[in-house]
Amino acid sequence: MKKFQIPSQFIAILWLIIAVCVSCKKEEKAKDVPVGNVQEGVFYLEMYEEGEVEAINSINLSSPSIPWRYGNLKITQIVKDGTEVQKGDTVIVFDPSEVQKGVVEAESRLQMSYAELEKLQAQQQSDLEELKADYEVTRLSQEISKIRFESSNYESDIKKREIKLNLDKANIALQRANEQIDNKVKIQKEEIRQKNLSIEQDKARLAEAKETLQKLYVISPTQGIAIINRNWSSGNKYQVGDQCWAGMPLVQLPDMKLLRANVKINEVDISKITKGLKVEIKPDAFSNSVYSGEVTSVANLAVNKDDKSKIKVFPVQILIKNSDDKLLPGLSVSCRIILGKIPKAIFVPLEAIHSEGNKNYVYKKTVKGFEKTMVETGDSNADFIVITKGLTKTDKGALADPFAKDEKKASTTENEKKDEK
């Protein structure tokens, strides 16, 4: 029987078809893998930190100091955060009920004290007139005794002696009556002084109550944007119903011409931060705006990140150089701190770098697909890493492992074979 032979031309065509199919499959797969260009240019060493805008100069409107008898301060009205206020506007109002009650009580006490003074003066006048009348009666008796004594020349010695004793008695009575009047006047003066002192105290209490009532209405001393501070006990901004101690800063009227951003750097990175570093600042509320800044202060001592954390951070202040009306104190901002730059560098996205032990490699894009290429790396930032050896600026690298699916599939098949055995 004659064997059937396939023509060599047909076999060549078949291999060509298979090669094209495999190539198309690889190209189709390659299209599914994201690719990043190798870039050449200035490479920035940078650090991103969150911060908050603060005015360098501002007027603090604090809770007033009031007498303890009026109880605690309770906010009943407060300006809306970010509102523009004019000089003389009422910014904060505290509950005035206890103070108003104190004003009424002080007025009542003062009126009562005036009435008591008037009554005391009338009583003193009556008592003094009575003493003067008694004195006059005593004086007349003394005059009569004196006349009798002067006309007793022809009386017997015993009678003269009796008349003389009566005159002495009348003189003593007159002197006593005069002393009683003097003493009464002194006592009355002291009583009037004490009552006037009590009235002055009542006046002072009333004036204090009225002054305290005025303090409960906090007035803006100048024009500005009202920024409400945070309540240290709750962590939220002060609002109606909150109680506070005397002297606590509640609202700021910042000078909008000079603003800064306050950030907290962890103890690992603080050594990288120095005065004079340039900063790009983006508010979270409108990230399309970018402001320039400069590090002006780096704390020497670490503080706790917050009240509930033991993580240590270093406060850093950044002067904002080109602020505008949109940038307000209290806004959260993202700060890109420029630590340095490499003028001419080749770098790729971080996603393009893969590691194997202590070696790094990139899946470089080729005509046939992807090729595993070993590279040496240098500095990195949040998005890119410098390539010191292994790539050129014309190369492209995969941003994901192009063979990950095949390896996973091969691993799954191998595991299935093991299970079958």
Side-chain angles (χ1 to χ4, degrees):
M1 185 175 180
K2 189 177 180 180
K3 293 183 178 180
F4 177 76
Q5 291 183 350
I6 300 175
S8 58
Q9 295 88 347
F10 180 79
I11 295 175
I13 293 172
L14 183 61
W15 278 112
L16 180 60
I17 293 173
I18 293 173
V20 171
C21 290
V22 172
S23 176
C24 291
K25 186 176 181 181
K26 286 184 178 180
E27 288 180 0
E28 182 181 352
K29 181 179 178 181
K31 292 179 182 178
D32 296 336
V33 179
V35 175
N37 293 327
V38 176
Q39 302 181 41
E40 182 181 27
V42 179
F43 183 82
Y44 289 96
L45 303 174
E46 58 194 20
M47 180 188 301
Y48 285 89
E49 293 291 344
E50 297 297 321
E52 185 173 302
V53 177
E54 177 187 66
I56 296 177
N57 300 315
S58 63
I59 298 174
N60 278 316
L61 302 182
S62 303
S63 51
S65 178
I66 65 174
W68 59 269
R69 67 177 67 91
Y70 299 121
N72 295 325
L73 292 165
K74 182 179 180 181
I75 299 174
T76 57
Q77 180 181 329
I78 189 167
V79 68
K80 187 177 179 181
D81 196 25
T83 301
E84 183 175 356
V85 297
Q86 303 297 324
K87 182 179 181 180
D89 288 352
T90 300
V91 179
I92 311 169
V93 178
F94 297 94
D95 185 7
S97 57
E98 288 297 321
V99 183
Q100 289 173 340
K101 181 180 177 182
V103 171
V104 173
E105 290 177 353
E107 289 176 339
S108 299
R109 279 196 301 270
L110 183 59
Q111 291 176 358
M112 187 178 297
S113 294
Y114 275 125
E116 290 176 352
L117 175 62
E118 186 177 352
K119 180 180 178 181
L120 177 62
Q121 289 174 332
Q123 183 64 45
Q124 286 182 347
Q125 182 68 25
S126 176
D127 293 343
L128 191 59
E129 288 178 355
E130 184 177 351
L131 285 177
K132 286 181 178 180
D134 291 343
Y135 173 82
E136 189 63 25
V137 170
T138 303
R139 188 186 66 79
L140 293 175
S141 297
Q142 188 266 350
E143 287 288 338
I144 293 172
S145 297
K146 186 178 180 180
I147 293 172
R148 286 179 179 176
F149 177 73
E150 291 175 350
S151 59
S152 63
N153 293 330
Y154 302 102
E155 299 289 343
S156 62
D157 293 339
I158 295 175
K159 190 65 175 178
K160 285 182 179 180
R161 186 177 180 184
E162 180 182 354
I163 294 173
K164 179 66 170 61
L165 291 174
N166 287 333
L167 178 60
D168 292 341
K169 182 179 178 180
N171 289 333
I172 293 172
L174 183 62
Q175 183 180 358
R176 181 178 179 81
N178 188 55
E179 290 176 352
Q180 285 181 340
I181 291 175
D182 291 341
N183 291 335
K184 191 66 173 178
V185 169
K186 291 178 181 179
I187 292 173
Q188 287 181 347
K189 285 183 178 179
E190 182 60 23
E191 289 176 345
I192 295 297
R193 191 185 72 82
Q194 292 291 340
K195 182 54 66 175
N196 283 329
L197 181 60
S198 177
I199 289 174
E200 291 302 319
Q201 290 176 344
D202 292 339
K203 286 181 178 179
R205 181 69 63 84
L206 178 59
E208 178 192 75
K210 289 182 176 181
E211 182 181 353
T212 302
L213 188 61
Q214 291 180 350
K215 288 181 179 180
L216 298 182
Y217 296 83
V218 181
I219 306 300
S220 173
T222 184
Q223 180 183 0
I225 303 296
I227 305 299
I228 300 177
N229 292 333
R230 293 189 180 277
N231 189 336
W232 64 269
S233 60
S234 65
N236 299 320
K237 294 202 170 188
Y238 283 101
Q239 56 188 341
V240 173
D242 284 354
Q243 292 187 349
C244 52
W245 300 100
M248 297 182 68
L250 305 180
V251 175
Q252 293 184 43
L253 296 177
D255 181 1
M256 305 301 293
K257 296 177 182 177
L258 290 175
L259 300 178
R260 67 186 173 203
N262 292 326
V263 299
K264 297 176 180 179
I265 308 296
N266 63 61
E267 51 190 340
V268 176
D269 295 327
I270 191 60
S271 60
K272 303 174 184 177
I273 306 298
T274 58
K275 291 182 181 180
L277 291 180
K278 304 301 179 183
V279 184
E280 288 184 358
I281 302 165
K282 289 185 179 181
D284 295 345
F286 41 95
S287 57
N288 57 328
S289 298
V290 180
Y291 301 88
S292 62
E294 181 180 320
V295 175
T296 56
S297 174
V298 181
N300 295 322
L301 298 177
V303 297
N304 289 335
K305 187 174 183 180
D306 51 54
D307 295 337
K308 300 179 181 179
S309 174
K310 293 183 179 180
I311 299 175
K312 295 293 184 179
V313 294
F314 289 81
V316 172
Q317 295 177 350
I318 301 169
L319 176 65
I320 302 174
K321 295 184 175 181
N322 58 334
S323 61
D324 54 28
D325 294 340
K326 294 190 297 181
L327 197 61
L328 299 176
L331 285 178
S332 298
V333 292
S334 176
C335 299
R336 176 176 174 247
I337 304 174
I338 309 300
L339 303 176
K341 63 181 180 179
I342 302 173
K344 191 176 182 181
I346 291 177
F347 51 93
V348 297
L350 289 174
E351 295 83 358
I353 297 296
H354 302 271
S355 298
E356 192 175 273
N358 59 353
K359 295 182 180 180
N360 297 321
Y361 58 90
V362 172
Y363 289 107
K364 186 170 66 174
K365 183 77 168 60
T366 64
V367 177
K368 296 181 179 180
F370 292 96
E371 180 182 81
K372 188 175 181 180
T373 304
M374 292 298 173
V375 295
E376 293 182 7
T377 60
D379 293 315
S380 63
N381 56 31
D383 301 310
F384 299 94
I385 186 169
V386 173
I387 303 297
T388 59
K389 187 176 180 181
L391 295 176
T392 64
K393 63 180 180 180
T394 59
D395 291 331
K396 295 182 179 181
L399 301 181
D401 189 346
F403 306 111
K405 293 182 179 180
D406 293 342
E407 292 175 358
K408 184 176 180 182
K409 184 176 180 181
S411 177
T412 303
T413 304
E414 186 177 350
N415 291 333
E416 289 176 353
K417 291 179 179 180
K418 289 181 180 179
D419 292 338
E420 289 177 359
K421 292 180 180 180

